Amino acid sequence: MGILFNTFIAAFSSIGAFLFGYDSGIIASVLTMSHFEARFSKRPSIQGAVVSTFSGGCFFGAAVAGWVNDRYGRKRTIQFGATIALWGCAMQAGAHNIATLIIGRIVAGFAIGVLSMTVPLYNTEIAPPKIRGFLVGLTQECIGLGFLVANWVGYGCQFINSDTSWRLPLGLQLLPAGLLLIGIQFLPYSPRWLIEVDRDDEARKIVYLLHDTKGSPELEEAAEREYIEMHDTIKAEVLVRSRKLSDLWATRAMIKRTLISCGVQIFTQFTGINIISYFGPLMWQSLGLQGGKALLMQGIYGLVGPVATLVFILFIVDRVGRRKPLMFGAATFVATFSIVAAVLATNPVTSVSTKPADPGAQIAGIAMIFLTNIVFSASFGPVSWVLASEVFPTSTRSIGTSVATCCNWAFNTMLSQVSPIGLTNIGYKFYLVFVCFNFVNLIIIALFFPETKGKTLEEMAEVFGDSVNTQRALNEGKGSESENDVKDSVSIARMP
């Protein structure tokens, strides 16, 4: 039951990621609905504001989540995010003017910022090293499922001839938020956070639970060894930490960790994938697909991402690693966005054009957009969440993941605000920006990103060359359990 239990925990907590994907995806459909446009506006600036205010809320939610995680733990922070999500979703569904809608978007965004930072952090800290890529990659899988459900809900709701067409899909977010709020109560705390706040006995029990020892001496010994490594490293880090933001650049090793974590989140935005996710119907329209056909294509598009992510996290990420998929993804995006730009440049389709879209060019453009989604779902999508949360030591993992996620949302906000304007005003030239971005991504990843697959979170010091010897710090501070103490500790752990 060990791996199955770990998978269940990661999958259930990733309902928070599902909310992220659903809210991000449903707005792409809602923005094109006639009743929504009639009540609010179809101007690109208003559409950009509806999307970017959500992303701005996410930025502030991710910023606050670092402190909340350190103070109250991962589980309570997820509950906090789910509670705020209920509030924001209700405001969006009940909005009667643009001000209420935008405030609801900000509140919901704040909640998603909290969850988008905390869910991969929690999954990272409960995952065994050999399947950490898979368990943390479930974050992206559930984001993709959220987009998929949102696309088909949006497609179906377009046929409702009233404001319910957009209120219903926005209101459906209340269901997963409520489920997450209640269900997370029954999942375990992160054992690493428990050790950090001196709840060591609880942490040991959870490590044994995650290993599913069932009285097996071999499994109990393996669990105890992991607990001791975890305990010693975290206690040593506690002795030298200061809890300041400046810790993220206090040493050369920490600067590298911070740049890698923030970099992979920023580069994920530079891939251009969210332009398709948020404004997909506009892209399909630029290729000659109008009205319901554009929403139908967006729904079909959403199918391929979760399938690609599932294959990747099951069979590739923990074997191939993190760095190679990122390089492959960046190189592929240079090609796909170049082709999309070329198709639109040579076969322009406008709202006033009487010339039908060229079928060959249309197929080529659609194929490249689909390929971009498949490759993203098997590279930057899951790897960005895995890498950003696994590189930091426990003493700075919350604040470091928070800062990295803030970087993600800061660039998400900027791109979501300017994208509808760029798509409307400069057409194919806007895609050339992402050709350049992805070329830069490729060069930086190839030169500076390390490989972290298969390492325990405590072994990341070897990868980044930390100058602090945590074992020595612990021995000088409070002492530690030696290798010969493992069996004795197992015996103690068995006692009621």
Side-chain angles (χ1 to χ4, degrees), residues 329-376:
T332 302
F333 300 147
V334 170
T336 57
F337 277 109
S338 296
I339 294 173
V340 170
V343 167
L344 295 178
T346 56
N347 298 273
V349 176
T350 67
S351 59
V352 297
S353 176
T354 58
K355 174 187 174 183
D358 178 81
Q362 190 179 74
I363 292 172
I366 291 172
M368 288 303 101
I369 294 174
F370 270 74
L371 180 60
T372 299
N373 187 22
I374 293 171
V375 174
F376 177 84

Side-chain angles (χ1 to χ4, degrees), residues 114-380:
V114 171
L115 294 172
S116 67
M117 176 259 167
T118 307
V119 168
L121 174 64
Y122 177 69
N123 290 350
T124 293
E125 294 190 342
I126 61 97
K130 290 184 179 180
I131 59 169
R132 189 169 61 243
F134 166 64
L135 294 187
V136 183
L138 286 173
T139 301
Q140 182 62 35
E141 176 68 12
C142 287
I143 291 173
L145 289 174
F147 272 107
L148 173 62
V149 172
N151 289 339
W152 285 104
V153 168
Y155 176 71
C157 287
Q158 71 170 315
F159 299 107
I160 301 175
N161 189 26
S162 69
D163 277 356
T164 304
S165 62
W166 60 269
R167 293 190 190 278
L168 176 60
L170 291 177
L172 286 176
Q173 301 170 87
L174 295 168
L175 296 178
L179 178 62
L180 182 62
L181 173 63
I182 297 170
I184 197 71
Q185 175 64 31
F186 302 99
L187 299 188
Y189 287 95
S190 161
R192 289 176 168 85
W193 177 77
L194 290 173
I195 293 173
E196 199 174 6
V197 295
D198 296 323
R199 293 162 63 177
D200 297 357
D201 291 340
E202 291 180 65
R204 178 184 259 120
K205 290 178 182 177
I206 289 174
V207 171
Y208 275 60
L209 178 66
L210 294 175
H211 275 262
D212 189 29
T213 56
K214 291 184 178 178
S216 166
E218 294 80 8
L219 292 175
E220 287 182 348
E221 186 168 331
E224 187 62 28
R225 289 182 187 279
E226 180 178 333
Y227 170 77
I228 288 175
E229 179 186 17
M230 190 185 300
H231 174 278
D232 286 3
T233 302
I234 293 171
K235 292 298 184 183
E237 291 170 354
V238 168
L239 295 176
V240 297
R241 74 181 177 196
S242 64
R243 286 289 191 213
K244 294 186 295 186
L245 188 63
S246 59
D247 287 349
L248 296 179
W249 54 84
T251 65
R252 182 183 294 272
M254 281 305 303
I255 291 173
K256 186 174 182 180
R257 292 175 189 261
T258 303
L259 289 176
I260 295 297
S261 184
C262 293
V264 74
Q265 291 286 349
I266 294 170
F267 294 168
T268 299
Q269 292 302 315
F270 283 175
T271 63
I273 192 66
N274 280 337
I275 307 310
I276 307 174
S277 301
Y278 292 157
F279 306 106
L282 293 177
M283 295 184 67
W284 306 123
Q285 289 170 15
S286 71
L287 290 167
L289 300 174
Q290 300 296 325
K293 289 184 179 180
L295 289 179
L296 177 61
M297 186 59 68
Q298 186 76 355
I300 298 172
Y301 165 85
L303 285 170
V304 300
V307 174
T309 297
L310 186 59
V311 172
F312 178 74
I313 63 178
L314 277 174
F315 304 112
I316 299 175
V317 67
D318 287 312
R319 292 178 172 85
V320 174
R322 305 359 176 185
R323 186 167 171 269
K324 290 179 181 177
L326 292 177
M327 293 172 60
F328 172 74
T332 302
F333 300 147
V334 170
T336 57
F337 277 109
S338 296
I339 294 173
V340 170
V343 167
L344 295 178
T346 56
N347 298 273
V349 176
T350 67
S351 59
V352 297
S353 176
T354 58
K355 174 187 174 183
D358 178 81
Q362 190 179 74
I363 292 172
I366 291 172
M368 288 303 101
I369 294 174
F370 270 74
L371 180 60
T372 299
N373 187 22
I374 293 171
V375 174
F376 177 84
S377 299
S379 58
F380 280 86

Side-chain angles (χ1 to χ4, degrees), residues 43 163 317 419 489:
R43 286 184 297 163
D163 277 356
V317 67
S419 294
S489 299

Side-chain angles (χ1 to χ4, degrees), residues 426-439:
I426 63 174
Y428 79 90
K429 296 177 183 177
F430 189 67
Y431 298 105
L432 297 178
V433 173
F434 296 101
V435 174
C436 298
F437 278 163
N438 282 291
F439 182 75

